[in-house]
Amino acid sequence: MASDAIISLPGEIIVYILEDKLLDFSDVINFSSTCKSLYKIVNENNKLWKTKFFQRWPLLKEVYQTSKELEHQMINWKEEVKISLNSRTILLYLLSSMSNKHHKKQELSNSEFKEFDFLFCPKEGAHPLAYYFLIDELTTLIKCPAIVSNLTHRYYALKVIRYLKQTHLKGEWQKFISLPSKQQTLERGATIVAQWSQPERHVSYPTISSILDNIAEQTKDLLKEQHPNHSIFSIPTERFIFWKNNIIDDNQWNISETRQVTDALCKVLFEKLGFYGNSEMYYSSENSFIDRVLERRRGIPITLAIVFESVARRLGIRCEPVSFPSHFLLRWKETYAPEFKDTENYYIDVFNGGQFLTKKNCPRIGGVSRCPIEKYNVHEEATAVEVVTRMANNLEIAARQHTHINGTHRTARLRSALELRYMIQPNDTNTVLQLGRIYMSQHMDLTELVKILENMQKDLELMSRGQANMISQTFKTLQKCQKRLQPKEEIKPKKRIPSVKYAIGLIMKHKIYGYLCVITGWDVRCMASTEWMNEMNVDGLEEGADQPFYKIFVDDGSCQYAAQENLLLAPNPEWINHHAIGRYFYKFSGAHYIPNEEKAKEYPEDEKVCNELIVEYMQNGITYNTT
């Protein structure tokens, strides 16, 4: 029999077969359940379970290899699998319950994610590396093709991963600012900004550092061609590692060799690799993320300066970041030795191809009437914390400029930027006040902000009278709002009337503007404010305000409110690229979106209407992609 033949195989051959990537945990467990001898082979082979663990969660391999928490422990990999699978089950259960709890809210408070803390916080009893496991699971769920995934679970997974990553990064930031100032490198600070602002992406410092290392190696290759006798080629590896991880006090070469390195770096960075300033989309958030800048090779002055300084430092060159009001430049001198303190300063304008500027040749930057170098030559070198603060300010400006990426909601971007700034500057009253406005507008839990302002009130004597009054007034307002917070309302089903022609989930085309959209709700008549109706000239419509109006998600990421007379069923339905699609729908059928449980309860009669309209259109010869 086949089973006898398998049992007769040597144990190592059986394990080798079970290590195949096509076999998952359930296959291994089922196989081991067939007889005692196979159970023993499988159950006692720690290497097999380790292999299967990393096949299932490959991103965790690096984490386990570098973990100090598990450095001297003997790991039982079968137990790791059990713990991880159990955590996954709980995670999916919590995700599946979020829509029922939070479907009426656009932005969720951090307090509404506290039920996840026991899954990833070691202080709550979680596995030391549980955080990384959950991130891996959520990332897998988010990256699953949207057309085949549960869109509602995916929507809330993005919110959970934001909470997990930003909670984790608060601890990482404290570790960063606790480092000696010489070890607070710009690229580490910039990585935290990129990780905070892009929770849906895997942004890794080792990856960013490796790319910077590669640029440094390319620069050395060019130096080898042009200056084969340069002293850099006699330096031991340990020195390069030190420069990589520490801010250096001076250039490590004589003046001539220093010039050779900077010239080679400019050629590699700006000519060979083509890094340049993104003047066309200056206020795009992507320009502030070091991973995106390295990937796309374009950015704004501050991120390009971080790239240049980080590579230069790896090559033994000191550059000082200088935060001018109208521009961000790198200051460089041929030598920083005390006896040469009067040596001329050069400023490297990385936004404009790495030009070396002095008082004599500095152009007017940013529209200022005088050269900023001449006016602000006394500026001190910016610290890593100051650079990160400016990056957070840039992200706030980007959010307010509506230049969000992938249709991400402006409020979410602004909230993220302000919470980042609060993490960096916890005593900045203006940031706290701006966060308070967002939290109030989104009906979010104000408990945390109330506590922050309460503590600030204790130190009012240390502030100006204006600050004290502003904080006191905001504190009182927040307290009143906190008391008015009501528990979630029950879903009230909407009753259709004959004049409502369309239904939620249908993919529509706007007759005037031509965009595609999906209906997320409707009113039997226009329920917008008088000001909005006047601005949109609703009275100028053929049927005016006394016709159904539809809430729609548009393919450009926006939310609109459209009159029924301006909409028609899209002849060729397509996926609508909107960040909040999963808030109301759990699946795309190819012809329409299927509402999740909460949305279906709100519009209980719409499913029948939706299906009837699609059938009618198909019978009339209009082709729908129903795959």
Side-chain angles (χ1 to χ4, degrees):
M1 294 177 64
S3 58
D4 294 332
I6 293 173
I7 294 172
S8 65
L9 290 173
E12 57 268 24
I13 298 298
I14 293 175
V15 169
Y16 178 78
I17 294 171
L18 293 176
E19 286 179 339
D20 191 283
K21 292 181 179 180
L22 295 176
L23 302 177
D24 60 21
F25 294 135
S26 60
D27 296 321
V28 174
I29 293 170
N30 290 336
F31 178 81
S32 69
S33 302
T34 55
C35 70
K36 290 183 179 180
S37 59
L38 293 179
Y39 177 82
K40 184 177 181 181
I41 291 172
V42 171
N43 191 56
E44 295 180 356
N45 196 295
N46 204 36
K47 177 177 174 292
L48 169 63
W49 289 105
K50 180 179 180 180
T51 300
K52 304 313 290 185
F53 184 92
F54 288 127
Q55 284 176 357
R56 175 61 183 81
W57 297 292
L59 292 180
L60 296 184
K61 193 166 188 177
E62 180 184 327
V63 175
Y64 272 82
Q65 288 174 343
T66 58
S67 170
K68 293 183 179 180
E69 292 90 342
L70 303 177
E71 192 172 7
H72 302 294
Q73 293 186 27
M74 287 293 294
I75 299 175
N76 183 326
W77 288 101
K78 185 178 180 182
E79 285 302 310
E80 295 292 289
V81 169
K82 285 183 179 179
I83 293 170
S84 299
L85 290 177
N86 183 55
S87 295
R88 181 178 187 274
T89 301
I90 298 172
L91 173 66
L92 293 178
Y93 170 76
L94 292 175
L95 271 179
S96 66
S97 65
M98 290 191 73
S99 181
N100 178 258
K101 297 176 182 177
H102 308 303
H103 66 278
K104 286 186 174 291
K105 298 178 181 178
Q106 177 178 292
E107 285 293 305
L108 301 184
S109 310
N110 287 341
S111 61
E112 289 167 311
F113 294 96
K114 291 299 182 183
E115 62 184 353
F116 289 89
D117 284 0
F118 82 98
L119 279 177
F120 77 99
C121 292
K123 292 181 180 179
E124 301 281 342
H127 187 285
L129 302 183
Y131 163 78
Y132 300 98
F133 164 77
L134 293 176
I135 293 299
D136 188 283
E137 278 294 317
L138 290 166
T139 301
T140 300
L141 195 157
I142 291 166
K143 287 187 175 181
C144 179
I147 200 165
V148 296
S149 64
N150 185 311
L151 301 178
T152 300
H153 289 179
R154 187 172 180 268
Y155 173 76
Y156 285 105
L158 282 165
K159 292 186 177 294
V160 173
I161 203 170
R162 179 203 66 82
Y163 171 73
L164 263 62
K165 282 194 174 183
Q166 292 184 357
T167 300
H168 176 74
L169 285 170
K170 290 173 184 177
E172 293 300 300
W173 175 253
Q174 291 303 314
K175 292 178 185 177
F176 177 74
I177 61 177
S178 298
L179 291 171
S181 59
K182 293 291 185 184
Q183 294 177 21
Q184 294 178 18
T185 60
L186 297 183
E187 64 267 35
R188 283 190 179 274
T191 300
I192 292 176
V193 172
Q195 291 170 329
W196 178 281
S197 305
Q198 305 174 102
E200 73 285 356
R201 281 175 64 92
H202 177 62
V203 181
S204 159
Y205 174 73
T207 300
I208 289 169
S209 183
S210 176
I211 295 172
L212 296 170
D213 291 345
N214 181 264
I215 298 173
E217 288 302 316
Q218 291 186 58
T219 305
K220 287 168 67 177
D221 290 342
L222 181 59
L223 268 175
K224 190 74 172 178
E225 293 177 13
Q226 298 179 338
H227 309 285
N229 297 320
H230 195 287
S231 301
I232 199 171
F233 301 113
S234 61
I235 296 298
T237 303
E238 292 75 16
R239 289 280 295 280
F240 287 109
I241 294 174
F242 179 81
W243 297 340
K244 171 181 174 177
N245 296 311
N246 293 271
I247 297 170
I248 55 180
D249 294 321
D250 200 352
N251 302 315
Q252 304 300 301
W253 325 109
N254 62 40
I255 292 175
S256 174
E257 289 191 323
T258 294
R259 272 290 191 177
Q260 291 169 3
V261 175
T262 56
D263 288 347
L265 175 54
C266 284
K267 286 181 180 178
V268 168
L269 205 60
F270 301 110
E271 295 179 21
K272 179 183 177 182
L273 298 179
F275 280 81
Y276 68 96
N278 190 0
S279 56
E280 293 181 0
M281 296 186 66
Y282 191 90
Y283 289 106
S284 169
S285 299
E286 288 187 340
N287 291 325
S288 293
F289 306 146
I290 189 170
D291 60 311
R292 297 292 184 103
V293 171
L294 290 170
E295 177 185 307
R296 297 156 63 241
R297 299 183 181 179
R298 60 181 182 268
I300 52 177
I302 193 166
T303 41
L304 291 173
I306 291 170
V307 171
F308 191 99
E309 187 278 336
S310 301
V311 177
R313 193 180 68 251
R314 283 162 166 76
L315 298 169
I317 302 296
R318 173 175 171 78
C319 296
E320 300 172 311
V322 182
S323 187
F324 293 108
S326 61
H327 207 43
F328 195 95
L329 302 171
L330 289 173
R331 185 166 57 207
W332 173 78
K333 295 197 295 186
E334 292 176 334
T335 177
Y336 294 81
E339 60 269 26
F340 296 100
K341 63 180 181 179
D342 295 327
T343 301
E344 182 178 14
N345 288 330
Y346 291 87
Y347 289 85
I348 308 171
D349 186 2
V350 290
F351 191 72
N352 293 297
Q355 298 178 50
F356 277 62
L357 309 174
T358 64
K359 291 181 184 179
K360 296 178 181 178
N361 67 356
C362 176
R364 293 179 179 180
I365 298 173
V368 294
S369 58
R370 295 180 62 194
C371 172
I373 294 176
E374 182 180 358
K375 188 175 182 180
Y376 301 109
N377 205 31
V378 295
H379 271 211
E380 296 292 329
E381 173 187 8
T383 66
V385 173
E386 290 169 342
V387 172
V388 170
T389 301
R390 182 154 178 166
M391 295 178 78
N393 293 338
N394 288 342
L395 286 170
E396 180 193 349
I397 294 171
R400 295 188 187 280
Q401 291 281 342
H402 297 265
T403 53
H404 42 268
I405 56 177
N406 296 331
T408 303
H409 199 278
R410 176 178 177 271
T411 302
R413 284 285 174 186
L414 183 56
R415 173 193 174 186
S416 177
L418 289 172
E419 288 180 340
L420 172 63
R421 202 167 76 185
Y422 172 71
M423 180 185 77
I424 300 165
Q425 296 180 302
N427 296 319
D428 182 58
T429 56
N430 182 53
T431 301
V432 176
L433 295 177
Q434 290 187 62
L435 274 175
R437 295 188 186 102
I438 289 179
Y439 287 9
M440 284 188 285
S441 70
Q442 298 298 316
H443 308 288
M444 294 167 62
D445 183 9
L446 303 169
T447 305
E448 186 177 351
L449 280 187
V450 168
K451 288 180 180 178
I452 292 169
L453 288 171
E454 189 175 28
N455 291 331
M456 284 185 172
Q457 275 196 312
K458 297 175 183 177
D459 298 322
L460 289 183
E461 65 274 8
L462 302 178
M463 304 176 186
S464 68
R465 186 173 180 180
Q467 281 181 309
N469 182 60
M470 186 165 54
I471 290 173
S472 294
Q473 292 301 318
T474 305
F475 179 53
K476 292 174 183 176
T477 302
L478 288 180
Q479 283 184 314
K480 291 178 182 178
C481 290
Q482 187 73 29
K483 292 176 181 177
R484 289 202 302 267
L485 284 176
Q486 299 294 325
K488 71 181 183 74
E489 300 175 5
E490 293 296 323
I491 297 174
K492 296 179 180 178
K494 297 199 73 169
K495 187 72 175 175
R496 292 184 68 89
I497 61 174
S499 62
V500 180
K501 183 178 179 180
Y502 303 120
I504 61 167
L506 285 172
I507 299 173
M508 313 298 291
K509 183 176 181 179
H510 198 282
K511 293 180 181 179
I512 299 174
Y513 301 114
Y515 58 66
L516 292 181
C517 58
V518 59
I519 296 174
T520 64
W522 47 258
D523 297 311
V524 295
R525 67 181 314 278
C526 185
M527 300 300 291
S529 66
T530 303
E531 292 79 6
W532 185 89
M533 286 193 281
N534 290 336
E535 182 181 349
M536 303 305 293
N537 192 27
V538 171
D539 288 339
L541 294 171
E542 187 175 329
E543 298 182 43
D546 196 23
Q547 63 173 307
F549 269 69
Y550 296 86
K551 300 167 188 175
I552 54 177
F553 282 169
V554 184
D555 196 39
D556 64 1
S558 64
C559 306
Q560 304 294 342
Y561 194 47
Q564 181 166 277
E565 68 180 65
N566 284 335
L567 295 176
L568 55 83
L569 274 171
N572 297 296
E574 296 177 11
W575 170 269
I576 302 300
N577 187 29
H578 196 282
H579 68 282
I581 201 81
R583 183 179 176 188
Y584 301 131
F585 306 101
Y586 81 91
K587 186 179 180 181
F588 178 57
S589 73
H592 68 291
Y593 282 91
I594 302 174
N596 56 29
E597 186 177 345
E598 288 67 41
K599 202 65 179 175
K601 287 180 181 178
E602 188 178 358
Y603 295 88
E605 301 171 317
D606 276 32
E607 181 182 4
K608 180 181 177 183
V609 174
C610 179
N611 291 333
E612 288 175 349
L613 281 171
I614 291 174
V615 170
E616 178 185 342
Y617 264 60
M618 291 177 69
Q619 289 174 345
N620 290 335
I622 296 179
T623 302
Y624 266 72
N625 175 19
T626 57
T627 58

